[in-house]
């Protein structure tokens, strides 16, 4: 970005794609356009070349390089972004040929993550991913990485600047790895406390920009940043959500996903994504108005499978249904819930779907508590299980929706119950 009188001026950017038939290059290029805008760039145009494989020296062919150079000169392009991972040699050769700065898809996503990270865990994970990506790309950087070094007294006799940079980066990566271990211990302790307390967790997962943060704000008033851009939020947020039946669950918003997410980030954010793996229920949110809705759901499901979530109930949530033009030709899935988080539509059905998939369904009971045992009502109220209470001559008459833990408290005093409670 350029800065003019303290105003950030987005860089005029050209997006370049190489179609080798490995994936849908056109759709990936459209996604890169949105990523570039999310990163603060100003995409001006796109170029694509079909080749059986990347050119070793410049990724694209020499004719394409010349075309890129001419376009950049005639359109005042300040940045070129390639929709694939480039080698250091390819970047250097392309920059020399075009006289324009070149970055690849991975560098762009890493930069966006660095902008979005707010929590200590998020910042540590991003820095670790950036350094792991940078380490094999130090060749030819010269003194540009001197800021990574420790200065006087850190170099051994005859040690080159490149070796020093590599040593400092490895040392920093190791330090970050230790920090991540401590953060992970804290997460496990939080998870153990939730399990001990019987807290049911519901994870919001899905493609980035599917509306997860908007849905989180609607359901829990969490105050999470919600913008129409990719990776608007990065750090996970957890808030209490009360269901219609009175049960309170923990709703967790996780980092958004994209196709071909760099493995550096998948590894760095694995502990964050694994919050979905430990959730009791998973809401797979997608933008139903997108022509790629099915692909987005599949990308998310593949990552969930890799995290070991195969035995968890997954509810497909088709968000932005208000933007779907032709409902008959739109995506239809068994068990899916259609909603519009922005317009607050379809939310009762979503909450009911969550309730229907609770690991232990609460049971309706009516009990008469002696006056000496009215403290049980306070425990039920705290657990969100108490539906109603009324003082009568014999004691406190309560109606509650209880799980096995609460059932043990009220069972001696049940005066009326449904058939399900007898089986609990």
């Amino acid at each position: 970005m350029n800065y003019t009188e303290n105003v950030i001026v987005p860089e005029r950017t050209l997006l370049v794609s190489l179609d080798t038939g490995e994936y849908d290059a056109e759709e990936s290029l459209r996604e890169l356009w949105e990523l570039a805008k999310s990163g603060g760039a100003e995409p001006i145009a796109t170029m694509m070349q079909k080749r059986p494989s990347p050119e070793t020296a410049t990724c694209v062919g020499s004719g394409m390089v010349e075309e890129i150079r001419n376009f950049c000169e005639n359109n005042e392009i300040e940045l070129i972004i390639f929709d694939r991972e480039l080698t250091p040699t390819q970047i250097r050769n392309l920059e020399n040929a075009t006289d324009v700065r070149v970055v690849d898809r991975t560098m762009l996503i890493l930069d966006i993550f660095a902008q979005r990270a707010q929590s200590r865990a998020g910042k540590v994970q991003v820095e670790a991913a950036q350094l792991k990506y940078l380490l094999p790309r130090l060749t030819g950087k010269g003194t540009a990485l001197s800021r990574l070094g420790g200065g006087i007294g850190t170099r051994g006799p005859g040690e080159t600047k490149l070796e020093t940079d590599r040593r400092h980066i490895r040392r920093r990566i190791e330090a970050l790895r230790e920090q991540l271990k401590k953060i992970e211990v804290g997460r496990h302790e939080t998870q153990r406390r939730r399990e001990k307390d019987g807290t049911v967790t519901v994870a919001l997962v899905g493609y980035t920009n599917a509306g997860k943060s908007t849905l989180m704000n609607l359901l829990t008033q969490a105050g999470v940043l919600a913008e129409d851009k990719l990776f608007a939020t990065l750090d996970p947020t957890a808030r209490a959500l009360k269901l219609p039946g009175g049960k309170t669950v923990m709703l967790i918003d996780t980092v958004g996903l994209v196709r071909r997410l760099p493995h550096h980030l998948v590894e760095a954010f694995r502990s964050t994504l694994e919050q979905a793996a430990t959730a009791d229920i998973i809401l797979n949110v997608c933008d139903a108005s997108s022509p790629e809705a099915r692909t987005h759901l599949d990308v998310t499901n593949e990552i969930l499978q890799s995290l070991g979530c195969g035995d968890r109930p997954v509810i497909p949530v088709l968000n932005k249904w208000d933007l779907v033009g032709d409902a008959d030709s739109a995506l239809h899935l068994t068990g899916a819930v259609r909603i519009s988080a922005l317009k607050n539509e379809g939310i009762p059905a979503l909450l009911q779907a969550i309730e229907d998939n609770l690991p232990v369904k609460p049971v309706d009971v009516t009990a008469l508590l002696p006056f000496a045992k009215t403290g049980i009502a306070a425990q039920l109220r705290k657990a969100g299980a108490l539906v109603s209470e009324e003082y009568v001559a014999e004691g406190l008459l309560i109606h509650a929706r209880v799980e096995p833990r609460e059932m043990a408290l009220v069972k001696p005093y049940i005066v009326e119950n449904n058939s399900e409670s007898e089986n609990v």
Side-chain angles (χ1 to χ4, degrees):
M1 292 185 187
N2 296 325
Y3 294 81
T4 305
E5 297 181 356
N6 297 324
V7 177
I8 299 176
V9 180
E11 292 175 295
R12 292 174 60 82
T13 305
L14 171 65
L15 309 181
V16 181
S17 172
L18 181 67
D19 184 3
T20 59
E22 301 171 63
Y23 48 84
D24 187 337
E26 290 187 1
E27 180 58 33
S28 183
L29 193 56
R30 282 193 288 270
E31 183 176 274
L32 186 69
W33 185 285
E34 295 301 321
L35 285 168
K37 289 199 299 183
S38 293
E42 181 188 359
I44 301 299
T46 64
M47 289 186 178
M48 181 183 294
Q49 182 180 45
K50 289 189 175 183
R51 288 177 60 92
S53 61
E55 169 66 35
T56 304
T58 54
C59 185
V60 293
S62 57
M64 184 69 164
V65 173
E66 184 67 19
E67 187 178 342
I68 291 172
R69 185 183 67 80
N70 292 334
F71 184 88
C72 291
E73 286 182 355
N74 297 331
N75 293 274
E76 299 180 346
I77 297 298
E78 303 167 278
L79 176 67
I80 302 171
I81 303 178
F82 271 70
D83 193 27
R84 62 171 50 238
E85 196 165 295
L86 300 175
T87 66
T89 300
Q90 289 171 338
I91 292 176
R92 184 173 64 250
N93 291 340
L94 286 166
E95 288 182 338
N96 291 338
T98 62
D99 199 26
V100 176
R101 191 162 61 90
V102 176
V103 300
D104 60 17
R105 180 187 177 91
T106 300
M107 293 166 68
L108 172 61
I109 295 178
L110 285 170
D111 185 74
I112 295 172
F113 270 53
Q115 293 178 46
R116 303 289 189 265
Q118 298 295 326
S119 69
R120 172 172 166 261
K123 292 177 180 178
V124 170
Q125 288 169 325
V126 169
E127 185 180 352
Q130 287 177 316
L131 291 177
K132 286 180 181 177
Y133 177 75
L134 180 64
L135 187 58
R137 290 169 166 77
L138 287 181
T139 304
K141 291 285 186 180
T143 60
L145 295 172
S146 58
R147 58 188 176 86
L148 295 173
I152 297 174
T154 62
R155 297 176 178 82
E159 187 176 33
T160 67
K161 183 67 177 64
L162 182 60
E163 290 168 343
T164 305
D165 285 335
R166 283 178 174 156
R167 185 158 56 87
H168 283 305
I169 289 178
R170 289 193 184 98
R171 188 180 299 155
R172 179 60 180 163
I173 290 174
E174 188 58 37
L176 293 171
R177 188 176 290 120
E178 292 301 315
Q179 290 184 45
L180 286 173
K181 286 181 182 177
K182 293 178 181 178
I183 293 170
E184 188 65 17
V185 169
R187 283 207 178 110
H188 285 318
E189 289 177 353
T190 300
Q191 181 64 25
R192 280 196 295 269
R193 283 198 301 271
R194 288 173 179 166
E195 291 174 354
K196 183 179 179 181
D197 295 339
T199 303
V200 175
T201 55
V202 180
L204 285 170
V205 301
Y207 222 70
T208 184
N209 208 31
K212 297 190 304 300
S213 296
T214 302
L215 180 58
M216 182 81 173
N217 289 336
L218 175 63
L219 295 176
T220 67
Q221 291 77 51
V224 178
L225 176 65
E227 295 185 29
D228 185 18
K229 59 171 65 172
L230 304 189
F231 301 120
T233 53
L234 178 60
D235 299 303
T237 304
R239 293 290 186 276
L241 170 64
K242 190 167 185 177
L243 298 176
K247 173 72 175 177
T248 298
V249 299
M250 187 66 66
L251 187 64
I252 301 174
D253 185 14
T254 60
V255 62
L257 306 171
V258 294
R259 58 164 60 81
R260 294 162 55 218
L261 189 65
H263 69 275
H264 310 277
L265 286 174
V266 173
E267 180 183 353
F269 281 83
R270 189 173 184 85
S271 59
T272 302
L273 293 170
E274 281 177 348
Q275 292 196 47
T278 59
D280 298 289
I281 301 170
I282 297 171
L283 304 182
N284 187 353
V285 185
C286 81
D287 178 357
S289 66
S290 169
E292 293 293 307
R294 169 74 70 173
T295 301
H296 295 176
L297 285 171
D298 292 342
V299 168
T300 306
N301 283 328
E302 286 173 10
I303 294 178
L304 290 175
Q305 289 290 334
S306 71
L307 294 172
C309 303
D311 60 338
R312 301 287 194 277
V314 178
I315 303 173
V317 180
L318 308 182
N319 191 25
K320 305 185 184 182
W321 193 258
D322 56 306
L323 300 179
V324 174
D326 183 4
D328 293 332
S329 61
L331 183 63
H332 292 273
L333 293 171
T334 303
V337 182
R338 303 169 184 175
I339 70 165
S340 171
L342 189 62
K343 294 192 174 182
N344 194 5
E345 296 173 355
I347 302 305
L350 174 60
L351 295 177
Q352 187 60 52
I354 295 174
E355 202 156 55
D356 291 343
N357 283 277
L358 290 174
V360 178
K361 292 185 175 65
V363 176
D364 290 324
V365 297
T366 300
L368 180 60
L369 303 178
F371 288 110
K373 297 293 184 179
T374 54
I376 293 175
Q379 296 182 54
L380 296 176
R381 193 180 301 111
K382 184 178 180 182
L386 192 62
V387 177
S388 65
E389 55 186 315
E390 178 187 0
Y391 279 98
V392 296
E394 297 83 1
L396 182 61
L397 185 67
I398 65 168
H399 177 210
R401 301 198 74 206
V402 299
E403 294 180 4
R405 186 183 326 198
E406 291 86 27
M407 178 62 76
L409 295 173
V410 301
K411 194 168 186 178
Y413 311 106
I414 291 177
V415 294
E416 179 185 340
N417 60 281
N418 59 23
S419 58
E420 288 183 50
S421 65
E422 297 173 356
N423 298 322
V424 175

